Amino acid sequence: QARLVESGGGSVQAGGSLRLTCSASGGSYSRSFMGWFRQAPGKEREGVASIDPDGNTSYRDAVKGRFTLSKDIAKRTLYLQMSSLKHEETAMYYCSAARWWYESCGYEFDYADWGQGTQVTVSS
């Protein structure tokens, strides 16, 4: 089981940037399936970006071109660089690690371990 601790949230004006950090302990990190999620008040949690064990990243359409997910294996750290932030992206941001396995059609995964979250507030 992975223990995840997020940091880097804060308050920023619209158009600004933040870099979120997720530090992981426990579990296997070098080949991990991890993601960033966010949840705004009164809304469902939504996936923002993910990285598979091969290092391939994917992003929700709304953040493509503005957010970049990266992983430092030696530091066991996951980063989410966010730029051109929008007011509607104000939310609690969570890091998660998934249980994963490989099927003939590709990776299957189930997000099982979660951090406590870090708050991002974007003022308009």
Side-chain angles (χ1 to χ4, degrees), residues 56-77:
N56 299 308
T57 54
S58 66
Y59 302 89
R60 70 180 300 111
D61 287 345
V63 307
K64 286 180 180 177
R66 298 186 297 117
F67 288 17
T68 302
L69 189 154
S70 61
K71 181 173 149 180
D72 187 325
I73 294 174
K75 294 183 179 179
R76 299 178 64 92
T77 302

PDB file of all heavy atoms in Angstrom, residues 56-77:
ATOM      1  N   ASN A  56       3.760   6.639 -20.051  1.00  0.00           N
ATOM      2  CA  ASN A  56       2.852   7.350 -20.955  1.00  0.00           C
ATOM      3  C   ASN A  56       1.854   8.159 -20.147  1.00  0.00           C
ATOM      4  O   ASN A  56       1.276   7.670 -19.179  1.00  0.00           O
ATOM      5  CB  ASN A  56       2.102   6.352 -21.843  1.00  0.00           C
ATOM      6  CG  ASN A  56       3.047   5.552 -22.700  1.00  0.00           C
ATOM      7  OD1 ASN A  56       3.893   6.106 -23.391  1.00  0.00           O
ATOM      8  ND2 ASN A  56       2.926   4.236 -22.648  1.00  0.00           N
ATOM      9  N   THR A  57       1.653   9.402 -20.536  1.00  0.00           N
ATOM     10  CA  THR A  57       0.740  10.280 -19.814  1.00  0.00           C
ATOM     11  C   THR A  57      -0.536  10.506 -20.610  1.00  0.00           C
ATOM     12  O   THR A  57      -0.548  10.416 -21.842  1.00  0.00           O
ATOM     13  CB  THR A  57       1.392  11.636 -19.533  1.00  0.00           C
ATOM     14  OG1 THR A  57       1.876  12.192 -20.768  1.00  0.00           O
ATOM     15  CG2 THR A  57       2.561  11.495 -18.567  1.00  0.00           C
ATOM     16  N   SER A  58      -1.581  10.789 -19.876  1.00  0.00           N
ATOM     17  CA  SER A  58      -2.833  11.182 -20.514  1.00  0.00           C
ATOM     18  C   SER A  58      -3.465  12.283 -19.686  1.00  0.00           C
ATOM     19  O   SER A  58      -3.242  12.365 -18.474  1.00  0.00           O
ATOM     20  CB  SER A  58      -3.779   9.990 -20.668  1.00  0.00           C
ATOM     21  OG  SER A  58      -4.190   9.521 -19.409  1.00  0.00           O
ATOM     22  N   TYR A  59      -4.241  13.130 -20.335  1.00  0.00           N
ATOM     23  CA  TYR A  59      -4.832  14.308 -19.703  1.00  0.00           C
ATOM     24  C   TYR A  59      -6.293  14.430 -20.108  1.00  0.00           C
ATOM     25  O   TYR A  59      -6.688  14.059 -21.215  1.00  0.00           O
ATOM     26  CB  TYR A  59      -4.102  15.572 -20.146  1.00  0.00           C
ATOM     27  CG  TYR A  59      -2.626  15.577 -19.856  1.00  0.00           C
ATOM     28  CD1 TYR A  59      -1.710  15.063 -20.761  1.00  0.00           C
ATOM     29  CD2 TYR A  59      -2.150  16.112 -18.658  1.00  0.00           C
ATOM     30  CE1 TYR A  59      -0.353  15.067 -20.479  1.00  0.00           C
ATOM     31  CE2 TYR A  59      -0.793  16.132 -18.383  1.00  0.00           C
ATOM     32  CZ  TYR A  59       0.099  15.601 -19.298  1.00  0.00           C
ATOM     33  OH  TYR A  59       1.434  15.610 -19.018  1.00  0.00           O
ATOM     34  N   ARG A  60      -7.057  15.009 -19.198  1.00  0.00           N
ATOM     35  CA  ARG A  60      -8.415  15.321 -19.620  1.00  0.00           C
ATOM     36  C   ARG A  60      -8.324  16.476 -20.615  1.00  0.00           C
ATOM     37  O   ARG A  60      -7.404  17.306 -20.553  1.00  0.00           O
ATOM     38  CB  ARG A  60      -9.296  15.673 -18.424  1.00  0.00           C
ATOM     39  CG  ARG A  60      -9.023  16.974 -17.736  1.00  0.00           C
ATOM     40  CD  ARG A  60      -9.984  17.190 -16.547  1.00  0.00           C
ATOM     41  NE  ARG A  60     -11.368  17.202 -16.941  1.00  0.00           N
ATOM     42  CZ  ARG A  60     -12.252  16.243 -16.624  1.00  0.00           C
ATOM     43  NH1 ARG A  60     -11.862  15.196 -15.923  1.00  0.00           N
ATOM     44  NH2 ARG A  60     -13.510  16.333 -17.005  1.00  0.00           N
ATOM     45  N   ASP A  61      -9.276  16.525 -21.512  1.00  0.00           N
ATOM     46  CA  ASP A  61      -9.208  17.494 -22.606  1.00  0.00           C
ATOM     47  C   ASP A  61      -9.061  18.928 -22.110  1.00  0.00           C
ATOM     48  O   ASP A  61      -8.340  19.732 -22.709  1.00  0.00           O
ATOM     49  CB  ASP A  61     -10.460  17.379 -23.491  1.00  0.00           C
ATOM     50  CG  ASP A  61     -10.453  16.127 -24.343  1.00  0.00           C
ATOM     51  OD1 ASP A  61      -9.386  15.489 -24.469  1.00  0.00           O
ATOM     52  OD2 ASP A  61     -11.517  15.771 -24.876  1.00  0.00           O
ATOM     53  N   ALA A  62      -9.715  19.256 -21.008  1.00  0.00           N
ATOM     54  CA  ALA A  62      -9.753  20.647 -20.543  1.00  0.00           C
ATOM     55  C   ALA A  62      -8.389  21.161 -20.108  1.00  0.00           C
ATOM     56  O   ALA A  62      -8.185  22.383 -20.015  1.00  0.00           O
ATOM     57  CB  ALA A  62     -10.755  20.780 -19.402  1.00  0.00           C
ATOM     58  N   VAL A  63      -7.452  20.259 -19.817  1.00  0.00           N
ATOM     59  CA  VAL A  63      -6.151  20.722 -19.315  1.00  0.00           C
ATOM     60  C   VAL A  63      -5.022  20.474 -20.308  1.00  0.00           C
ATOM     61  O   VAL A  63      -3.878  20.863 -20.046  1.00  0.00           O
ATOM     62  CB  VAL A  63      -5.806  20.066 -17.954  1.00  0.00           C
ATOM     63  CG1 VAL A  63      -6.948  20.264 -16.964  1.00  0.00           C
ATOM     64  CG2 VAL A  63      -5.456  18.594 -18.102  1.00  0.00           C
ATOM     65  N   LYS A  64      -5.322  19.826 -21.405  1.00  0.00           N
ATOM     66  CA  LYS A  64      -4.274  19.536 -22.386  1.00  0.00           C
ATOM     67  C   LYS A  64      -3.613  20.826 -22.864  1.00  0.00           C
ATOM     68  O   LYS A  64      -4.281  21.807 -23.167  1.00  0.00           O
ATOM     69  CB  LYS A  64      -4.871  18.780 -23.578  1.00  0.00           C
ATOM     70  CG  LYS A  64      -5.200  17.333 -23.282  1.00  0.00           C
ATOM     71  CD  LYS A  64      -5.790  16.641 -24.500  1.00  0.00           C
ATOM     72  CE  LYS A  64      -6.120  15.191 -24.185  1.00  0.00           C
ATOM     73  NZ  LYS A  64      -6.754  14.510 -25.335  1.00  0.00           N
ATOM     74  N   GLY A  65      -2.313  20.782 -22.911  1.00  0.00           N
ATOM     75  CA  GLY A  65      -1.554  21.959 -23.338  1.00  0.00           C
ATOM     76  C   GLY A  65      -1.227  22.922 -22.216  1.00  0.00           C
ATOM     77  O   GLY A  65      -0.418  23.831 -22.393  1.00  0.00           O
ATOM     78  N   ARG A  66      -1.880  22.742 -21.067  1.00  0.00           N
ATOM     79  CA  ARG A  66      -1.626  23.648 -19.932  1.00  0.00           C
ATOM     80  C   ARG A  66      -1.024  22.922 -18.731  1.00  0.00           C
ATOM     81  O   ARG A  66      -0.296  23.519 -17.945  1.00  0.00           O
ATOM     82  CB  ARG A  66      -2.932  24.328 -19.510  1.00  0.00           C
ATOM     83  CG  ARG A  66      -3.565  25.193 -20.575  1.00  0.00           C
ATOM     84  CD  ARG A  66      -4.769  25.947 -20.021  1.00  0.00           C
ATOM     85  NE  ARG A  66      -5.826  25.046 -19.592  1.00  0.00           N
ATOM     86  CZ  ARG A  66      -6.266  24.944 -18.332  1.00  0.00           C
ATOM     87  NH1 ARG A  66      -5.720  25.693 -17.376  1.00  0.00           N
ATOM     88  NH2 ARG A  66      -7.238  24.116 -18.029  1.00  0.00           N
ATOM     89  N   PHE A  67      -1.364  21.677 -18.556  1.00  0.00           N
ATOM     90  CA  PHE A  67      -0.865  20.890 -17.426  1.00  0.00           C
ATOM     91  C   PHE A  67       0.142  19.860 -17.936  1.00  0.00           C
ATOM     92  O   PHE A  67      -0.018  19.301 -19.023  1.00  0.00           O
ATOM     93  CB  PHE A  67      -2.001  20.135 -16.743  1.00  0.00           C
ATOM     94  CG  PHE A  67      -2.941  20.994 -15.939  1.00  0.00           C
ATOM     95  CD1 PHE A  67      -2.997  22.372 -16.102  1.00  0.00           C
ATOM     96  CD2 PHE A  67      -3.797  20.404 -15.019  1.00  0.00           C
ATOM     97  CE1 PHE A  67      -3.878  23.150 -15.363  1.00  0.00           C
ATOM     98  CE2 PHE A  67      -4.687  21.166 -14.269  1.00  0.00           C
ATOM     99  CZ  PHE A  67      -4.721  22.535 -14.457  1.00  0.00           C
ATOM    100  N   THR A  68       1.165  19.612 -17.115  1.00  0.00           N
ATOM    101  CA  THR A  68       2.151  18.598 -17.459  1.00  0.00           C
ATOM    102  C   THR A  68       2.415  17.722 -16.243  1.00  0.00           C
ATOM    103  O   THR A  68       2.754  18.234 -15.174  1.00  0.00           O
ATOM    104  CB  THR A  68       3.472  19.236 -17.921  1.00  0.00           C
ATOM    105  OG1 THR A  68       3.226  20.078 -19.039  1.00  0.00           O
ATOM    106  CG2 THR A  68       4.470  18.156 -18.314  1.00  0.00           C
ATOM    107  N   LEU A  69       2.244  16.433 -16.427  1.00  0.00           N
ATOM    108  CA  LEU A  69       2.505  15.466 -15.369  1.00  0.00           C
ATOM    109  C   LEU A  69       3.866  14.837 -15.606  1.00  0.00           C
ATOM    110  O   LEU A  69       4.207  14.479 -16.732  1.00  0.00           O
ATOM    111  CB  LEU A  69       1.412  14.392 -15.371  1.00  0.00           C
ATOM    112  CG  LEU A  69       1.387  13.414 -14.203  1.00  0.00           C
ATOM    113  CD1 LEU A  69      -0.011  12.870 -13.996  1.00  0.00           C
ATOM    114  CD2 LEU A  69       2.339  12.262 -14.454  1.00  0.00           C
ATOM    115  N   SER A  70       4.649  14.737 -14.540  1.00  0.00           N
ATOM    116  CA  SER A  70       5.949  14.095 -14.654  1.00  0.00           C
ATOM    117  C   SER A  70       6.241  13.306 -13.390  1.00  0.00           C
ATOM    118  O   SER A  70       5.609  13.503 -12.359  1.00  0.00           O
ATOM    119  CB  SER A  70       7.046  15.129 -14.910  1.00  0.00           C
ATOM    120  OG  SER A  70       7.117  16.056 -13.847  1.00  0.00           O
ATOM    121  N   LYS A  71       7.221  12.443 -13.498  1.00  0.00           N
ATOM    122  CA  LYS A  71       7.507  11.520 -12.405  1.00  0.00           C
ATOM    123  C   LYS A  71       9.017  11.414 -12.235  1.00  0.00           C
ATOM    124  O   LYS A  71       9.742  11.234 -13.203  1.00  0.00           O
ATOM    125  CB  LYS A  71       6.893  10.168 -12.779  1.00  0.00           C
ATOM    126  CG  LYS A  71       7.036   9.055 -11.808  1.00  0.00           C
ATOM    127  CD  LYS A  71       6.183   7.885 -12.343  1.00  0.00           C
ATOM    128  CE  LYS A  71       6.742   6.571 -11.965  1.00  0.00           C
ATOM    129  NZ  LYS A  71       5.933   5.454 -12.481  1.00  0.00           N
ATOM    130  N   ASP A  72       9.472  11.561 -11.002  1.00  0.00           N
ATOM    131  CA  ASP A  72      10.880  11.372 -10.672  1.00  0.00           C
ATOM    132  C   ASP A  72      10.988  10.082  -9.880  1.00  0.00           C
ATOM    133  O   ASP A  72      10.609  10.037  -8.715  1.00  0.00           O
ATOM    134  CB  ASP A  72      11.384  12.576  -9.866  1.00  0.00           C
ATOM    135  CG  ASP A  72      12.883  12.528  -9.629  1.00  0.00           C
ATOM    136  OD1 ASP A  72      13.429  11.416  -9.445  1.00  0.00           O
ATOM    137  OD2 ASP A  72      13.514  13.590  -9.610  1.00  0.00           O
ATOM    138  N   ILE A  73      11.495   9.043 -10.531  1.00  0.00           N
ATOM    139  CA  ILE A  73      11.529   7.731  -9.885  1.00  0.00           C
ATOM    140  C   ILE A  73      12.469   7.737  -8.698  1.00  0.00           C
ATOM    141  O   ILE A  73      12.160   7.196  -7.632  1.00  0.00           O
ATOM    142  CB  ILE A  73      11.914   6.646 -10.899  1.00  0.00           C
ATOM    143  CG1 ILE A  73      10.805   6.505 -11.951  1.00  0.00           C
ATOM    144  CG2 ILE A  73      12.160   5.314 -10.200  1.00  0.00           C
ATOM    145  CD1 ILE A  73      11.131   5.568 -13.078  1.00  0.00           C
ATOM    146  N   ALA A  74      13.639   8.361  -8.833  1.00  0.00           N
ATOM    147  CA  ALA A  74      14.622   8.359  -7.750  1.00  0.00           C
ATOM    148  C   ALA A  74      14.075   9.043  -6.505  1.00  0.00           C
ATOM    149  O   ALA A  74      14.338   8.615  -5.377  1.00  0.00           O
ATOM    150  CB  ALA A  74      15.901   9.048  -8.211  1.00  0.00           C
ATOM    151  N   LYS A  75      13.293  10.084  -6.694  1.00  0.00           N
ATOM    152  CA  LYS A  75      12.731  10.825  -5.560  1.00  0.00           C
ATOM    153  C   LYS A  75      11.363  10.305  -5.161  1.00  0.00           C
ATOM    154  O   LYS A  75      10.772  10.800  -4.190  1.00  0.00           O
ATOM    155  CB  LYS A  75      12.626  12.311  -5.907  1.00  0.00           C
ATOM    156  CG  LYS A  75      13.967  12.993  -6.105  1.00  0.00           C
ATOM    157  CD  LYS A  75      13.778  14.478  -6.379  1.00  0.00           C
ATOM    158  CE  LYS A  75      15.118  15.172  -6.552  1.00  0.00           C
ATOM    159  NZ  LYS A  75      14.969  16.623  -6.844  1.00  0.00           N
ATOM    160  N   ARG A  76      10.850   9.337  -5.894  1.00  0.00           N
ATOM    161  CA  ARG A  76       9.515   8.794  -5.626  1.00  0.00           C
ATOM    162  C   ARG A  76       8.494   9.928  -5.561  1.00  0.00           C
ATOM    163  O   ARG A  76       7.681  10.024  -4.629  1.00  0.00           O
ATOM    164  CB  ARG A  76       9.503   7.976  -4.337  1.00  0.00           C
ATOM    165  CG  ARG A  76      10.430   6.766  -4.361  1.00  0.00           C
ATOM    166  CD  ARG A  76      10.408   6.011  -3.046  1.00  0.00           C
ATOM    167  NE  ARG A  76       9.105   5.438  -2.777  1.00  0.00           N
ATOM    168  CZ  ARG A  76       8.731   4.216  -3.119  1.00  0.00           C
ATOM    169  NH1 ARG A  76       9.570   3.422  -3.788  1.00  0.00           N
ATOM    170  NH2 ARG A  76       7.540   3.761  -2.811  1.00  0.00           N
ATOM    171  N   THR A  77       8.554  10.776  -6.521  1.00  0.00           N
ATOM    172  CA  THR A  77       7.715  11.973  -6.529  1.00  0.00           C
ATOM    173  C   THR A  77       7.020  12.132  -7.863  1.00  0.00           C
ATOM    174  O   THR A  77       7.617  11.903  -8.920  1.00  0.00           O
ATOM    175  CB  THR A  77       8.564  13.215  -6.224  1.00  0.00           C
ATOM    176  OG1 THR A  77       9.194  13.033  -4.948  1.00  0.00           O
ATOM    177  CG2 THR A  77       7.704  14.466  -6.165  1.00  0.00           C
TER     178      THR A  77
END
